[in-house]
Amino acid sequence: MKVAEMIRTTPARVDLDHDLLARVVEAAATCSQVCTACADACLSEDGVADLRRCIRIDLDCADVCATTVRVLSRHTAYEAAITRAVLQACVTACLTCAAECEQHAGMHEHCRVCAEACRACEELCRELLTTIA
Amino acid sequence: MKVAEMIRTTPARVDLDHDLLARVVEAAATCSQVCTACADACLSEDGVADLRRCIRIDLDCADVCATTVRVLSRHTAYEAAITRAVLQACVTACLTCAAECEQHAGMHEHCRVCAEACRACEELCRELLTTIA
Amino acid sequence: MKVAEMIRTTPARVDLDHDLLARVVEAAATCSQVCTACADACLSEDGVADLRRCIRIDLDCADVCATTVRVLSRHTAYEAAITRAVLQACVTACLTCAAECEQHAGMHEHCRVCAEACRACEELCRELLTTIA
Amino acid sequence: MKVAEMIRTTPARVDLDHDLLARVVEAAATCSQVCTACADACLSEDGVADLRRCIRIDLDCADVCATTVRVLSRHTAYEAAITRAVLQACVTACLTCAAECEQHAGMHEHCRVCAEACRACEELCRELLTTIA
């Protein structure tokens, strides 16, 4: 992705740590794609009936992460209240999705990859949250 | 919209108040569309340079409301943590957007309509939040 | 929804028929929500394994319709090429989804409602397409 | 991103070329983020009034590319009609956005980066289109 390049070239003042911001946006974009693909992979499993909750949480997490990418790509982030609320929703969605996928990670490799993507996104969102007043 | 009809016909048990849930989904869908259109209208104004903050908040609010519609349309809502976090983000985005648009409501009718849509969505999200354990 | 009100209050010149444009945006917003809810309802059915294709098409159609709402809410529509391509994708997604849901409409009322929403959206998109040079 | 890993671990049969599919998804995800950020950067420019068309096309292109990521992440792609229509819309949005951004690339580096991301996405979508019957 080219997130860092876009932060560097905006005329707006970006008060957040540029490197951390870029890593959060990339992690959220990755997580949104992985969750969409994991829901689809779960849907193809023989045991789809046992993966209903996993599919729903995957879809929720994909949507929340996509919105996180959008809001953080409007780099200015002087709307601290919105940025914070969206990051908090992203932390909640990612940790719920990670916990669910981890239960299937032994059987389904796509759930293992998805859990890892969710944990990575959750941690980076938490780190960014600590820097927003 | 046909939100109530879809809630009525799902085989899932929907623990939230059906009528309230339907009204929140409709208000969030309305708000997302109105915010997208308000950003576009602001962009066409002669004084676009003074409406930068309004445009950005409109775009953020449109994205957050769209995710709210998605998450609430997976009616089951047994992921109370995600539902709650998304509703809280929606309340924050809508009240920030309403406050900003209200400042331009005297000059720009699209901002007046947008502020009303944001207030309606904010209030319904708050009401739904009180019913989620 | 408040689509017509937003078209009336934008300072931009809107060359498309205002009433038709408003009806397309509302039909696409309705269809996007209904498809999201239909995918979720299918996921709750005992026979979920037989509804995999229906769920996938529902999710595709929900995404395409959501983008249609966005692009058409930037009312100016002087980007005729993008508007046309998006409307064509929307027609294709809606007719594919309608055809699939119609096969389950006898057994699942949510599929019947979804098929109707898709047909309504498809027809209005086609009508709008005929008016774009 | 982890697109290739998710394609490798799905139980579904993926008939499209796996490597090409992964590159299209990554290019569309990159383009969607870059277009969102370019619209925001344009909004911060002193000459925002001259960048209205650029901002609108950026926002359209961001939405179309996001839907492309979603539809292609449901890897099965046996809905050739929807996949094709979405790829065609993506080609149109990306080439329109590239052409617009190229006009500002000399003055605004974010427009140069955006034009490159659009061209890359457009070419990969075209290549994938030639492989879909």
Side-chain angles (χ1 to χ4, degrees):
Chain A
M1 297 190 73
K2 293 165 178 257
V3 186
E5 222 171 325
M6 293 309 286
I7 295 173
R8 191 176 50 72
T9 58
T10 183
R13 190 177 124 192
V14 182
D15 286 329
L16 298 171
D17 179 276
H18 291 203
D19 177 61
L20 177 57
L21 178 58
R23 283 187 295 136
V24 177
V25 172
E26 291 202 26
T30 294
C31 194
S32 184
Q33 195 278 327
V34 165
C35 285
T36 303
C38 185
D40 191 73
C42 287
L43 206 56
S44 292
E45 294 290 352
D46 289 338
V48 57
D50 299 326
L51 293 165
R52 287 175 167 116
R53 186 171 180 266
C54 193
I55 293 170
R56 281 193 175 102
I57 297 176
D58 274 338
L59 295 173
D60 281 351
C61 194
D63 286 330
V64 173
C65 287
T67 286
T68 303
V69 172
R70 290 290 182 101
V71 169
L72 293 181
S73 296
R74 295 179 200 112
H75 303 294
T76 52
Y78 53 19
E79 292 319 315
I82 296 179
T83 306
R84 212 160 33 220
V86 166
L87 284 170
Q88 279 159 346
C90 200
V91 165
T92 301
C94 286
L95 78 81
T96 308
C97 195
E100 175 66 27
C101 276
E102 278 158 10
Q103 295 184 32
H104 314 290
M107 279 188 69
H108 303 308
E109 217 189 330
H110 50 83
C111 285
R112 183 187 57 71
V113 179
C114 190
E116 286 172 12
C118 290
R119 288 289 175 211
C121 186
E122 179 205 339
E123 278 164 38
L124 284 161
C125 286
R126 279 189 204 279
E127 199 179 330
L128 188 59
L129 266 171
T130 65
T131 72
I132 300 176
Chain B
M1 296 189 73
K2 291 164 177 258
V3 186
E5 223 171 326
M6 294 308 287
I7 295 173
R8 192 175 50 72
T9 59
T10 183
R13 191 176 124 192
V14 181
D15 285 330
L16 298 171
D17 180 275
H18 292 203
D19 177 61
L20 177 57
L21 178 59
R23 283 187 294 135
V24 177
V25 173
E26 291 202 28
T30 294
C31 194
S32 184
Q33 194 278 327
V34 166
C35 285
T36 303
C38 185
D40 191 73
C42 286
L43 206 55
S44 291
E45 294 290 351
D46 290 338
V48 57
D50 299 325
L51 292 165
R52 288 174 167 116
R53 186 170 181 267
C54 194
I55 293 170
R56 282 193 174 102
I57 297 176
D58 275 338
L59 294 174
D60 281 352
C61 195
D63 286 330
V64 173
C65 286
T67 286
T68 303
V69 172
R70 290 290 181 102
V71 169
L72 293 181
S73 297
R74 298 181 198 110
H75 303 295
T76 53
Y78 53 17
E79 292 319 317
I82 296 179
T83 306
R84 211 162 31 221
V86 167
L87 283 170
Q88 279 159 347
C90 199
V91 165
T92 302
C94 286
L95 78 79
T96 308
C97 195
E100 175 65 28
C101 276
E102 278 159 10
Q103 294 183 33
H104 315 289
M107 280 189 69
H108 303 308
E109 218 189 331
H110 48 84
C111 285
R112 184 187 56 72
V113 179
C114 190
E116 287 172 12
C118 289
R119 288 289 176 211
C121 186
E122 178 206 340
E123 279 165 36
L124 283 162
C125 287
R126 279 189 203 279
E127 198 179 330
L128 188 59
L129 266 171
T130 65
T131 72
I132 300 176
Chain C
M1 297 190 73
K2 291 164 177 259
V3 186
E5 222 170 325
M6 294 308 287
I7 295 173
R8 190 177 50 72
T9 59
T10 184
R13 190 177 125 192
V14 181
D15 286 329
L16 298 171
D17 179 276
H18 292 202
D19 176 61
L20 177 58
L21 178 59
R23 284 187 293 136
V24 176
V25 173
E26 291 203 25
T30 294
C31 194
S32 185
Q33 195 278 327
V34 166
C35 285
T36 303
C38 185
D40 191 71
C42 286
L43 206 56
S44 292
E45 295 289 351
D46 290 338
V48 57
D50 299 326
L51 292 164
R52 287 173 168 117
R53 186 170 181 266
C54 193
I55 293 170
R56 281 193 175 102
I57 297 176
D58 274 339
L59 294 174
D60 281 352
C61 195
D63 286 330
V64 173
C65 286
T67 286
T68 303
V69 171
R70 291 289 182 101
V71 169
L72 292 182
S73 296
R74 297 181 198 110
H75 303 294
T76 52
Y78 51 19
E79 293 320 315
I82 296 180
T83 307
R84 212 162 30 219
V86 166
L87 284 170
Q88 280 159 346
C90 200
V91 165
T92 301
C94 286
L95 77 80
T96 307
C97 196
E100 175 66 28
C101 277
E102 277 157 10
Q103 295 184 32
H104 314 289
M107 280 188 69
H108 303 307
E109 217 189 332
H110 51 83
C111 285
R112 183 188 56 71
V113 178
C114 190
E116 286 172 13
C118 290
R119 288 289 176 212
C121 186
E122 178 205 339
E123 277 165 39
L124 283 161
C125 286
R126 279 189 204 280
E127 198 179 330
L128 189 58
L129 266 170
T130 64
T131 71
I132 300 176
Chain D
M1 297 191 72
K2 291 165 178 258
V3 186
E5 222 170 326
M6 294 309 287
I7 295 173
R8 191 176 50 74
T9 59
T10 183
R13 192 176 122 192
V14 181
D15 286 329
L16 298 172
D17 179 276
H18 292 202
D19 176 60
L20 178 57
L21 178 59
R23 283 187 295 136
V24 177
V25 172
E26 290 202 27
T30 294
C31 194
S32 185
Q33 195 277 327
V34 165
C35 285
T36 303
C38 186
D40 191 73
C42 286
L43 205 55
S44 291
E45 294 289 352
D46 290 338
V48 56
D50 299 325
L51 292 164
R52 287 174 167 116
R53 186 170 181 266
C54 193
I55 293 170
R56 282 192 174 102
I57 298 176
D58 274 338
L59 295 174
D60 281 352
C61 195
D63 286 331
V64 173
C65 286
T67 285
T68 303
V69 171
R70 290 290 181 102
V71 169
L72 293 181
S73 297
R74 296 179 199 112
H75 302 294
T76 53
Y78 52 19
E79 293 317 318
I82 295 179
T83 306
R84 211 163 30 221
V86 166
L87 284 170
Q88 278 159 346
C90 200
V91 165
T92 301
C94 286
L95 79 80
T96 308
C97 195
E100 176 65 28
C101 277
E102 278 158 9
Q103 294 183 32
H104 315 289
M107 278 189 71
H108 303 307
E109 217 189 330
H110 49 83
C111 285
R112 184 188 56 73
V113 179
C114 190
E116 286 171 13
C118 290
R119 288 289 175 212
C121 186
E122 178 206 340
E123 278 165 37
L124 283 161
C125 286
R126 280 188 203 279
E127 198 178 331
L128 188 59
L129 266 170
T130 64
T131 71
I132 300 175

